[in-house]
Amino acid sequence: MTDEPTPHQLSERIARLEGEMKASHAENDAMESRIESRIDTGLALMREDMAKRDAEAVKRDKDNQRWTITLVLGCTALVIGAVALFS
């Protein structure tokens, strides 16, 4: 006598395995959705941080330009004043 399963037992096993596969696929899909959500959230935060950095960089550039222009004008005025004083 052999211990081979009957066709009914095989079909029950197949049905159980298919159910487990569907459950695994559903778990994987849910996990993938969570991961994609976290990635999207992370990317949104990075974009926000980049926008803030860009705005700060623009402000620093404007401030630096103002200081540079003021310095150049001041030095020019100083040179003109010195030339006028000593000539």
Side-chain angles (χ1 to χ4, degrees):
M1 190 179 248
T2 61
D3 288 338
E4 287 187 33
T6 65
H8 179 69
Q9 289 172 331
L10 289 175
S11 63
E12 284 178 350
R13 285 183 189 171
I14 290 172
R16 183 177 45 85
L17 289 173
E18 286 176 345
E20 289 175 5
M21 279 179 35
K22 286 179 183 177
S24 291
H25 285 289
E27 262 182 60
N28 289 343
D29 290 344
M31 190 180 317
E32 185 177 331
S33 294
R34 286 193 305 270
I35 290 170
E36 287 175 353
S37 173
R38 287 179 184 170
I39 289 172
D40 291 343
T41 301
L43 288 174
L45 291 173
M46 282 195 323
R47 285 187 191 108
E48 186 178 314
D49 287 346
M50 287 170 56
K52 286 179 185 176
R53 256 193 314 271
D54 290 346
E56 290 172 0
V58 167
K59 185 181 180 308
R60 277 194 308 274
D61 287 347
K62 284 182 182 179
D63 290 344
N64 288 340
Q65 285 176 348
R66 286 184 189 133
W67 276 102
T68 302
I69 291 169
T70 303
L71 183 64
V72 167
L73 291 175
C75 288
T76 303
L78 217 112
V79 167
I80 291 172
V83 168
L85 184 67
F86 294 112
S87 53

